Amino acid sequence: ASTEFTNIGYNTWDNSWSSFYSSTNPFELINLHKAWAYGLTGAGTTVIVSDTEFDSDSTQLDSAVDKVTISGSITECSNTALSCHGAATAGLIAGDIGDSGNVGVAPNAKLILTTNNFSNTTTALNSAPSSTVAINNSWGINTSLIDEDIASKASNGWTSSELFANRWNSEWGTSVSSSTISSWVDAMDDFQDHGVIVFSNSNTSANDNAEITAALPEIFPELAEAFIAAVNIDVGGHPTHSSGVDGPTGYRRWSAP
């Protein structure tokens, strides 16, 4: 085994959470080494990463000339910055084998990087090649609870797109239209013909239900065909800890590769 395989808990872009990492190699927990032994390394596949703060020219993402494609405009960051969320997520998905940092789950996969706004993500989904097997979305609304949002939809007489647009705009002070949300949902629906939609759940440890992005099929049932909501779980079966939280109720959005 390589050193980087042994030290997979180390994150080049943000190692500030290393004290919360499992002492057992996460790749061992999911039997990834066995998948690799069967040649399942992501070769021939592509993953869209909808996020912010990328490091698209990182030496950990350069094993092939065309490994990284940028869809629309993205924000770049230094590989020493602690805010490089998209860079860390992309690295966890497809970081190269043989470099000094972390190696990804699917090191031979290609990446399409796009900013996590609805227009850019919709374009990336609609233009993705058929080899694209997943879109990773590690973002959402921390204060959302899907049961409360569904009740709000009924009391206001909103469509599902109107609910999401109102919920998003209320949280982030934006002016996203319901038609923009409808186009985004349509693009995800079509994407399910060849790819899986992955969303991480909320950072908020006090939540007792999924947030709206991690529970999209609850309001858009057409997305239930190929949808995964991800929450990090530690070896003991508890969600992993978030800032200031200890015990089985704490979890943190980091990535959903």
Side-chain angles (χ1 to χ4, degrees), residues 35 41 97 158:
T41 62
I97 292 177
W158 289 332

Side-chain angles (χ1 to χ4, degrees), residues 52-173:
T52 58
E53 299 294 319
F54 292 102
D55 189 11
S56 64
D57 60 353
S58 169
T59 57
Q60 292 183 238
L61 299 173
D62 65 353
S63 59
V65 174
D66 59 346
K67 177 157 183 168
V68 174
T69 300
I70 296 173
S71 179
S73 59
I74 63 171
T75 52
E76 296 276 3
C77 66
S78 165
N79 63 5
T80 60
L82 295 184
S83 61
C84 296
H85 188 280
T89 301
L92 285 169
I93 294 170
D96 297 337
I97 292 177
D99 292 333
S100 59
N102 65 301
V103 60
V105 173
N108 291 327
K110 295 181 179 180
L111 298 172
I112 298 173
L113 309 182
T114 190
T115 300
N116 64 339
N117 65 49
F118 300 107
S119 296
N120 276 8
T121 302
T122 297
T123 298
L125 285 162
N126 286 333
S127 61
S130 59
S131 62
T132 310
V133 297
I135 177 169
N136 188 85
N137 306 271
S138 187
W139 50 272
I141 303 175
N142 285 338
T143 60
S144 163
L145 292 174
I146 188 60
D147 51 348
E148 295 178 359
D149 290 335
I150 290 174
S152 180
K153 173 189 172 184
S155 64
N156 286 284
W158 289 332
T159 65
S160 293
S161 292
E162 288 171 337
L163 164 65
F164 193 97
N166 279 287
R167 193 67 184 83
W168 187 266
N169 293 334
S170 174
E171 180 75 11
W172 302 113

